[in-house]
Amino acid sequence: MIKYVYRSKTKMNNLLDNWDDRYDTDKAYMGYQPFYERYFKPIKDKNIKVLEIGVQKGGSLRLWRDYFPKSKIYGIDVVGKFRKESGDRIQVCAPVDAGSREDLSKLIDDIGGDFDVIIDDGSHCMYDNQVSLGFLFKHLKPAGIFAIEDLSCQDFTYNFNTAMKMNRRRTKDEFQEIHGRKSKEGEPTYSNSSFKDYGYIFDIKNNTTDMIKNFNEVGLINSKYMLTDEITYLNKNIEEVKLYDTESIMPDSKRPQQIAFFVKTG
């Protein structure tokens, strides 16, 4: 059986340049920095195009801009106010719902595809993870990298309550709990957001972590949230997928995390 969780021997306190000390991010705190540097160091001085899902205060966009000095950085977020985080070599497109193929299609029309790197640090919801991966992977260049952060949110055996909270945030039941009434047609889940699909079918067995593990065991992507042609394209064009566990670099952390890297065939 193929092992699907990889552990780094690099301890966080050995890093000379802690990204969180320079940027308003949690990439080092979550234990992701050594893994990002492993994949990104060979391309850091190339003229590349990067897309990150999830903007917030824009710290990670500025991080990628400086880490890749010849790059163009794009960020998308479901919250429209984050458009203000645009700047030098940074363009923020918002509101864009990463779980909406309509929104993602308009995004590609506006800024084009051919991304070298795509990073999903958005809602951490299984539906969004899989819709964006399925739709955007074909817009990744050959040998491109697609990273998905915070996959412990998909591990129901690790933290059931957190996983339930993250993965039910788009459902009609969640809307009713928050607002005390049923959602209306086309109404977003959050009052300050623009979710297009607020009523997807929540299936604990369709979580993203298990999807990755299954791929590494049988060599096939299987997802209820992807279209048939998206699944076919992924199965033909994934070179490798590795799921990394941060617990070995952060042994005292109360929040060990997982991050996955999909590499496209060259």
Side-chain angles (χ1 to χ4, degrees):
M1 182 177 292
I2 301 172
K3 294 182 180 179
Y4 52 79
V5 178
Y6 298 80
R7 290 177 169 83
S8 172
K9 295 181 181 179
T10 305
K11 302 296 183 183
M12 285 302 302
N13 57 10
N14 290 336
L15 293 175
L16 298 177
D17 180 17
N18 186 310
W19 289 346
D20 295 354
D21 291 341
R22 300 177 57 195
Y23 303 92
D24 189 10
T25 76
D26 60 1
K27 304 296 188 191
Y29 171 74
M30 292 294 191
Y32 302 145
Q33 184 174 342
F35 304 112
Y36 274 127
E37 294 196 283
R38 180 182 305 177
Y39 281 87
F40 292 169
K41 188 175 181 179
I43 61 172
K44 68 179 300 184
D45 293 317
K46 295 184 178 182
N47 185 0
I48 68 171
K49 187 175 181 182
V50 179
L51 172 67
E52 183 161 32
I53 300 168
V55 173
Q56 283 195 334
K57 298 178 181 178
S60 60
L61 300 182
R62 293 186 288 275
L63 161 63
W64 303 132
R65 176 198 62 196
D66 294 348
Y67 187 85
F68 299 112
K70 300 177 183 178
S71 62
K72 175 67 176 181
I73 310 299
Y74 295 89
I76 64 172
D77 203 287
V78 74
V79 180
K81 69 179 181 180
F82 291 133
R83 285 192 301 268
K84 64 182 177 59
E85 302 301 337
S86 295
D88 180 34
R89 288 191 291 115
I90 295 174
Q91 180 179 340
V92 175
C93 304
V96 176
D97 181 0
S100 165
R101 291 180 179 85
E102 178 184 0
D103 278 17
L104 294 175
S105 180
K106 290 178 181 177
L107 175 75
I108 298 302
D109 289 342
D110 289 343
I111 67 174
D114 289 331
F115 298 104
D116 298 273
V117 172
I118 300 175
I119 300 162
D120 184 353
D121 185 19
S123 69
H124 315 313
C125 169
M126 67 175 73
Y127 180 88
D128 297 0
N129 285 159
Q130 295 170 44
V131 169
S132 57
L133 174 65
F135 184 91
L136 291 173
F137 202 77
K138 61 180 175 289
H139 297 289
L140 196 63
K141 286 182 180 178
I145 300 165
F146 195 114
I148 305 178
E149 293 187 8
D150 300 344
L151 280 167
S152 61
C153 296
Q154 301 293 314
D155 189 347
F156 288 83
T157 63
Y158 167 67
N159 192 326
F160 184 85
N161 290 334
T162 296
M164 287 293 291
K165 178 181 178 181
M166 291 295 180
N167 289 287
R168 291 179 63 246
R169 58 178 19 172
R170 296 179 70 111
T171 63
K172 291 182 179 180
D173 289 343
E174 179 76 359
F175 186 99
Q176 189 162 4
E177 287 179 16
I178 294 172
H179 298 281
R181 60 178 176 82
K182 293 184 178 180
S183 54
K184 299 176 182 178
E185 187 67 27
E187 189 171 34
T189 305
Y190 293 144
S191 60
N192 66 339
S193 301
S194 300
F195 287 134
K196 295 295 188 300
D197 183 351
Y198 59 88
Y200 84 99
I201 300 172
F202 171 63
D203 184 352
I204 192 171
K205 296 180 180 179
N206 199 58
N207 69 81
T208 307
T209 301
D210 284 347
M211 181 192 76
I212 293 169
K213 292 176 181 179
N214 182 71
F215 177 84
N216 277 325
E217 290 172 359
V218 302
L220 294 172
I221 289 288
N222 185 24
S223 169
K224 292 182 179 180
Y225 306 139
M226 293 182 188
L227 304 179
T228 301
D229 64 310
E230 294 171 345
I231 294 173
T232 300
Y233 186 87
L234 284 165
N235 286 330
K236 288 182 177 180
N237 291 279
I238 292 176
E239 179 70 26
E240 69 171 19
V241 184
K242 288 192 176 181
L243 179 63
Y244 293 96
D245 188 339
T246 67
E247 189 170 8
S248 57
I249 25 178
M250 304 173 67
D252 299 324
S253 174
K254 296 180 180 179
R255 296 180 61 190
Q257 296 291 333
Q258 292 181 334
I259 183 170
F261 289 86
F262 293 73
V263 179
K264 194 170 184 177
T265 52

